[in-house]
Amino acid sequence: MDFLRPATWEEALAAKAEHPTAVPIAGGTDVMVEINFDHRRPEYLMDLNRIGELHEWETEDDSVRLGASVPYSKIMERLRTELPGLALASHTVASPQIRNRGGVGGNLGTASPAGDAHPALLAAGAEVEVASVRGTRLIPIDDFYTGVKRNALAPDELIRAVRVKKADGPQQYAKVGTRNAMVIAVCAFGLALHPETRTVRTGIGSAAPTPVRARAAEEFLNAALEEGGFWDNGRIITPSLARQFAELCAAACNPIDDVRGTATYRRHAVGVLARRTLTWTWESYRGSARTSKGAA
Amino acid sequence: MRVSFTVNGRPQEADDVWEGESLLYVLRERLGLPGSKNACEQGECGSCTVRLDGVPVCSCLVAAGQAEGREVVTVEGLAEYAKERACTTGACGTSLDEARRWAAKGTDSQTGEGVELSPVQQAFIDAGAVQCGFCTPGLLVAADEMLERNRNPTDADIREALSGNLCRCTGYEKIMDAVRLAAARQSEGV
Ligand SMILES: Cc1cc2nc3c(=O)[nH]c(=O)nc-3n(C[C@H](O)[C@H](O)[C@H](O)COP(=O)(O)OP(=O)(O)OC[C@H]3O[C@@H](n4cnc5c(N)ncnc54)[C@H](O)[C@@H]3O)c2cc1C
Ligand code: FES
Ligand code: FES
């Protein structure tokens, strides 16, 4: 095994071009487990910790460019306002020690259906900024997950950052697990209201071969909210509306039975999480709509 | 490969390190610092917790090469680390009483015998928070870091800060007592 230690981003891209099989290591919270247990013996291990810009984020007009290695603990603490869904999801990852090292770049690199960043990124709307010596491209998050633990990266590419739209409305993230800390999700659900475009977006984790959006549920809800004038009148979401939304979210799952839960349980639980997160976000939207009206 | 970094304030070099080796392995097997424990090697138990440039991490999940040029604090260096911190916050110096009681003692950097304890270590002893002791080093490093950030932690803060550390013996209540005790002593300046 060789240990590559690029000091700059350009060096890292050059090294990855020269050794496409090199395994990048950022926080190491996925890679080191595999190495410790002899599940992986890469020819080259490429440390990304020396590349400062991967640990930084920039706030742009309507989005945040989040460096691939910004640890979850920073996202939780510093980006709660801009990226509330991702901040909530980050807080559910493992433990403080893991959150101090692991980040979204590694989560995307592993692309596990159980990764907690994914539902939040799907719901918020994100693009993955990847680069190689050939240049940079932006991969829409909807096209990023290509199979179980597979993603759209080419062998010579590295993840530079994710560009996530700044929240223009309430966002929520909920996860089912056996306890509060240190659990891989049995299933998870992210939901974001986008009042500016009058749309709702979702993300489902651990309930299909890849993280997915519940598109039929989103379309149904978007149409119903528009038709009922909900965005303007701030009416309460009726139970039947919430129920139909939840059923469509459950139907978007394609889960498996495993040690963490059965497929039936997962489908059911996703429905419950969908209903809850919709209620929480909508109540918060109504609340803020009322205050801004009251203030005017 | 060779890895050079600072451990508990001292420059260290480890040779013939395998590229896939963890920082935990280097500390224990190459540098003779067995305080950090190896229980799971998968980030689940926290018994290998050390500070890496001040940040608590599982040393079993840091590749040794990633520690190159960085500063590591292990449980062996916790007492000194806490003492220096107290100094920078102005709470150090030797009282007359302490100076009178001082006597040269043999110290052992490996077993910690004869070494002064950090406040959080003393609190673990006083509260009876140690049974088999396997989880203790990791808990001490994690608890000490929380007390550094948060001088008046609530029970929820303590639970959150220690949520990455498993203990199979104590049932955690005495550990909670110990951290509350350390926090109380810290705020009283004892
Ligand atoms: C005890 C424990 C509990 C965990 N709990 C959770 C949990 O609750 N939720 C969750 O989502 N995850 C969990 N994980 C998994 C892990 O912490 C996350 O997937 C984390 O986001 C990985 O980030 P990292 O920086 O540590 O990745 P690394 O381990 O460094 O890398 C992961 C993968 O991504 C690749 N990679 C990293 N950076 C880049 C880059 N810039 N460009 C291209 N490829 C890259 C690596 O080559 C590797 O394939 C847990 C892990 C442990 C050990
Ligand atoms: S040995 Fe590192 S977390 Fe268990
Ligand atoms: S005292 Fe034995 S594991 Fe905690």
Side-chain angles (χ1 to χ4, degrees):
Chain A
M1 198 187 287
D2 251 344
F3 198 81
L4 307 174
R5 224 176 259 168
T8 65
W9 181 236
E10 288 68 32
E11 273 179 45
L13 295 180
K16 190 69 171 134
E18 195 182 338
H19 310 288
T21 58
V23 173
I25 174 166
T29 61
D30 281 321
V31 172
M32 284 304 287
V33 174
E34 291 185 318
I35 292 180
N36 288 345
F37 284 80
D38 229 342
H39 294 157
R40 202 166 186 178
R41 272 292 122 98
E43 209 181 332
Y44 297 95
L45 203 55
M46 186 165 88
D47 178 25
L48 298 178
N49 281 184
R50 256 143 247 283
I51 302 164
E53 59 257 51
L54 295 182
H55 296 265
E56 290 161 11
W57 65 90
E58 295 135 60
T59 311
E60 293 160 5
D61 275 353
D62 63 346
S63 69
V64 175
R65 183 174 182 235
L66 179 73
S69 302
V70 174
Y72 292 116
S73 48
K74 281 270 158 44
I75 301 173
M76 277 161 60
E77 287 161 18
R78 308 282 298 278
L79 290 164
R80 274 224 293 266
T81 315
E82 294 86 350
L83 311 177
L86 188 61
L88 286 168
S90 299
H91 204 160
T92 74
V93 173
S95 67
Q97 288 93 325
I98 303 290
R99 294 195 291 267
N100 284 338
R101 293 286 294 162
V104 173
N107 217 231
L108 289 167
T110 300
S112 156
D116 282 302
H118 313 314
L121 295 176
L122 286 165
E127 287 174 321
V128 186
E129 182 185 330
V130 306
S132 68
V133 289
R134 295 174 291 121
T136 294
R137 62 185 179 125
L138 294 176
I139 307 175
I141 194 71
D142 293 304
D143 302 335
F144 188 80
Y145 310 106
T146 53
V148 183
K149 300 201 172 183
R150 301 179 69 87
N151 62 35
L153 285 184
D156 64 343
E157 282 178 326
L158 292 173
I159 301 167
R160 168 63 184 83
V162 271
R163 291 166 184 259
V164 195
K165 288 208 189 89
K166 271 193 218 164
D168 62 319
Q171 304 186 347
Q172 273 293 344
Y173 183 78
K175 169 170 166 180
V176 172
T178 40
R179 63 193 193 106
N180 271 333
M182 210 64 104
V183 279
I184 306 290
V186 176
C187 62
F189 195 85
L191 187 144
L193 300 185
H194 299 284
E196 276 172 20
T197 48
R198 301 195 158 191
T199 52
V200 176
R201 280 178 66 119
T202 59
I204 302 176
S206 282
T210 65
V212 288
R213 275 169 68 194
R215 286 173 189 273
E218 289 176 14
E219 279 162 26
F220 159 78
L221 186 62
N222 289 341
L225 293 178
E226 197 57 55
E227 206 173 301
F230 281 79
W231 292 103
D232 291 317
N233 59 32
R235 265 167 59 197
I236 194 164
I237 298 256
T238 59
S240 78
L241 203 61
R243 186 167 9 91
Q244 282 189 64
F245 174 70
E247 278 166 13
L248 288 166
C249 287
C253 302
N254 181 15
I256 53 166
D257 293 326
D258 70 8
V259 287
R260 282 177 283 140
T262 61
T264 317
Y265 175 74
R266 285 194 159 98
R267 215 176 267 119
H268 173 76
V270 163
V272 173
L273 297 183
R275 185 160 35 89
R276 280 188 197 157
T277 52
L278 175 61
T279 312
W280 292 336
T281 49
W282 191 258
E283 282 309 302
S284 152
Y285 171 71
R286 295 174 64 223
S288 62
R290 268 200 303 271
T291 10
S292 62
K293 250 180 228 155
Chain B
M1 65 179 175
R2 166 177 289 188
V3 183
S4 314
F5 58 114
T6 305
V7 187
N8 301 327
R10 288 180 201 91
Q12 295 277 8
E13 262 176 20
D15 279 314
D16 301 320
V17 174
W18 174 59
E19 288 69 19
E21 211 162 287
S22 69
L23 172 61
L24 176 63
Y25 189 91
V26 169
L27 291 169
R28 290 178 56 85
E29 310 298 336
R30 299 195 187 275
L31 301 180
L33 293 166
S36 313
K37 297 292 175 246
N38 177 0
C40 73
E41 284 197 297
Q42 51 179 314
E44 295 277 351
C45 75
S47 59
C48 64
T49 303
V50 302
R51 307 271 297 259
L52 179 64
D53 282 350
V55 178
V57 304
C58 295
S59 59
C60 68
L61 300 184
V62 176
Q66 294 185 297
E68 175 72 32
R70 308 247 237 147
E71 293 202 14
V72 174
V73 174
T74 70
V75 72
E76 288 94 341
L78 200 63
E80 214 167 315
Y81 187 79
K83 201 170 179 183
E84 266 179 42
R85 178 171 64 216
C87 282
T88 53
T89 56
C92 86
T94 315
S95 72
L96 193 60
D97 195 39
E98 270 178 310
R100 286 208 187 102
R101 276 188 283 125
W102 187 87
K105 279 183 264 184
T107 59
D108 183 327
S109 65
Q110 294 208 354
T111 63
E113 251 159 67
V115 180
E116 225 179 292
L117 298 178
S118 68
V120 72
Q121 287 170 313
Q122 193 59 52
F124 266 62
I125 293 176
D126 295 343
V130 181
Q131 286 189 25
C132 81
F134 210 78
C135 66
T136 313
L139 277 160
L140 289 170
V141 174
D144 180 72
E145 191 268 347
M146 181 205 59
L147 291 168
E148 176 179 304
R149 269 186 292 122
N150 182 349
R151 297 192 66 82
N152 286 303
T154 62
D155 279 5
D157 295 337
I158 302 175
R159 283 182 195 281
E160 162 105 25
L162 304 185
S163 60
N165 295 78
L166 296 182
C167 174
R168 301 303 304 269
C169 302
T170 65
Y172 301 101
E173 281 310 318
K174 298 266 165 113
I175 292 171
M176 291 294 294
D177 288 346
V179 182
R180 286 185 204 113
L181 180 63
R185 285 176 177 170
Q186 175 173 275
S187 65
E188 284 165 15
V190 187

